[in-house]
Every structure is written in structure tokens, then in C-alpha cells.
């Protein structure tokens, strides 16, 4: 009788082990990233919330709607602008101090990538960046009280 009880316990443990090995746990990210136009020429402001606290991330900016999804592995494209950031103890990067600068105009979409290379958050709205190359110069004029520009 004792051997039968031990055998039943063994079968129960074996069954639980098999069931547990077949259960997959979905991992979701609560991080989000958003961007907005900046008053500074050629830059946008970004804001991160819900990320892991005191953690380094890389933000990649794609000039076109992103085709990646949260949780997928990110492959860096050629000449993709990026910023390295460290979140604060709340898991945020403050929008008032977080600016990204660009050398060419376009609509940029931010992709937040964690230290393992996985996408943590995506800005699907994007922000428009205008890089102005206009300049002005002045010089003295031979005419009294005036300058040439």
C-alpha cells in the first residue's frame, strides 16, 4: 500500500512537471515613448514613461513608419539616428530635457530598444522635423547709419 501511494505521488509530480513545461508566459512591456516637435531647429522632444527604472535604453529614430513590434528584436538600419538614455528612478525620461537633433528634415518615429536588443516601445505617431539651412550675414555700409545684409 505504501509503495502504491509513493508511486501515485511520483505520477502526480511527473504530470505537474510536464504541464508546467508546456505553459508559456507572455511578457508584456508597459513602457511607452512619444515625441513632439521642438522649438529648436532640427530637433524633436521625446518622453518615456513606464520603462524599467535606472536602466539604459537606446532610442532609434526611423524616417518612416516602423515595421517592428514590441517584443521583437531590433535590427539597426544604416545611418539610423540614435540616442542613448538612462531612465530615472520612476522609469521615465523627462520630456523637457530630452531632445534629439537631426541633420535632415522628415517625419521621425522613435523606437525604444532595451539592453538585449528587443523593442520595448514604439512611437507610431512620429514627429516632423524641419532642418533650416537659411543664414544671414551683415557688413558695414558706406552709407551713414546703415548696414548691408
Amino acid at each position: 500500500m505504501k509503495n502504491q501511494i509513493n508511486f501515485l505521488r511520483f505520477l502526480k509530480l511527473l504530470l505537474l512537471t510536464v504541464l508546467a513545461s508546456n505553459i508559456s508566459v507572455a511578457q508584456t512591456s508597459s513602457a511607452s515613448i512619444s515625441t513632439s516637435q521642438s522649438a529648436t531647429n532640427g530637433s524633436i522632444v521625446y518622453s518615456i514613461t513606464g520603462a524599467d527604472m535606472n536602466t539604459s535604453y537606446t532610442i532609434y529614430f526611423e524616417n518612416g513608419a516602423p515595421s517592428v513590434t514590441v517584443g521583437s528584436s531590433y535590427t539597426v538600419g544604416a545611418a539610423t539616428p540614435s540616442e542613448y538614455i538612462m531612465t530615472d528612478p520612476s522609469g521615465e525620461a523627462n520630456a523637457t530635457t530630452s531632445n534629439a537633433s537631426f541633420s535632415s528634415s522628415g517625419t521621425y518615429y522613435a523606437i525604444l530598444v532595451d539592453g538585449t536588443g528587443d523593442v520595448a516601445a514604439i512611437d507610431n505617431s512620429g514627429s516632423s522635423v524641419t532642418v533650416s539651412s537659411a543664414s544671414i550675414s551683415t557688413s558695414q555700409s558706406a552709407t551713414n547709419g546703415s548696414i548691408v545684409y
Side-chain angles (χ1 to χ4, degrees), residues 11-31:
L11 283 179
K12 181 180 174 182
L13 182 62
L14 182 63
L15 180 60
L16 289 174
T17 304
V18 169
L19 288 174
S21 66
N22 288 324
I23 296 173
S24 63
V25 178
Q27 293 183 344
T28 59
S29 173
S30 60

Side-chain angles (χ1 to χ4, degrees), residues 56-111:
S56 60
Y57 288 88
T58 305
I59 306 170
Y60 293 98
F61 296 93
E62 292 190 353
N63 194 353
S67 59
V68 294
T69 57
V70 172
S72 65
S73 180
Y74 184 73
T75 303
V76 182
T80 303
S82 64
E83 293 264 320
Y84 293 97
I85 60 105
M86 177 73 77
T87 56
D88 63 20
S90 300
E92 299 179 356
N94 193 329
T96 59
T97 59
S98 305
N99 288 283
S101 298
F102 302 89
S103 57
S104 57
S105 300
T107 300
Y108 289 88
Y109 299 82
I111 300 169

Side-chain angles (χ1 to χ4, degrees), residues 31 33 48 51 57-60 85 110-114 118-122:
I33 185 167
I48 297 167
Y57 288 88
T58 305
I59 306 170
Y60 293 98
I85 60 105
I111 300 169
L112 185 67
V113 177
D114 65 20
D118 292 338
V119 176
I122 302 168

